[in-house]
Amino acid sequence: KGSKKAPKNRPGQQARRMMNAKIYGDDANHIKAAKKDKHKKEKREKNSDKASSAQAGSVHPSWEAKRRQKEILDKAKDVKGQKIVFE
């Protein structure tokens, strides 16, 4: 019946990527995706810098109300009354 050949296993992900990069060059899907992700990340970082500088002075109204409430309660705790002494 002839010699039995062992079936070839599928190459790993890294090997498949290398083959696709060799065949398709910059048009390989994994290279396109990497460029797209890098561009998105740069854009996000640029926007987050603008947003963080704009938000530094303003906070959510409920946060501001809670902060004011805490300040009022802290002031109320500092007030000391006089002891009443019964003779």
Side-chain angles (χ1 to χ4, degrees):
K1 290 192 171 184
S3 63
K4 291 185 178 181
K5 290 186 178 179
K8 281 194 165 184
N9 292 334
R10 180 178 184 202
Q13 182 178 7
Q14 187 175 8
R16 293 192 314 270
R17 282 184 169 200
M18 289 175 65
M19 287 189 312
N20 286 333
K22 204 179 286 185
I23 293 170
Y24 298 108
D26 286 341
D27 290 333
N29 287 335
H30 69 282
I31 295 175
K32 285 181 187 176
K35 287 180 183 177
K36 187 176 180 182
D37 288 344
K38 185 177 179 183
H39 180 69
K40 278 186 178 180
K41 186 178 179 182
E42 289 171 356
K43 190 173 182 181
R44 188 177 332 125
E45 288 174 354
K46 184 178 177 184
N47 288 339
S48 68
D49 291 341
K50 289 180 184 177
S52 64
S53 64
Q55 289 180 348
S58 63
V59 294
H60 193 271
S62 64
W63 295 0
E64 184 66 27
K66 183 68 175 179
R67 186 184 61 80
R68 286 185 189 151
Q69 184 182 25
K70 187 176 177 185
E71 286 177 2
I72 292 170
L73 288 175
D74 288 343
K75 287 180 185 177
K77 287 181 184 177
D78 291 340
V79 176
K80 299 279 183 178
Q82 291 183 344
K83 278 189 175 182
I84 300 175
V85 180
F86 296 101
E87 292 185 53

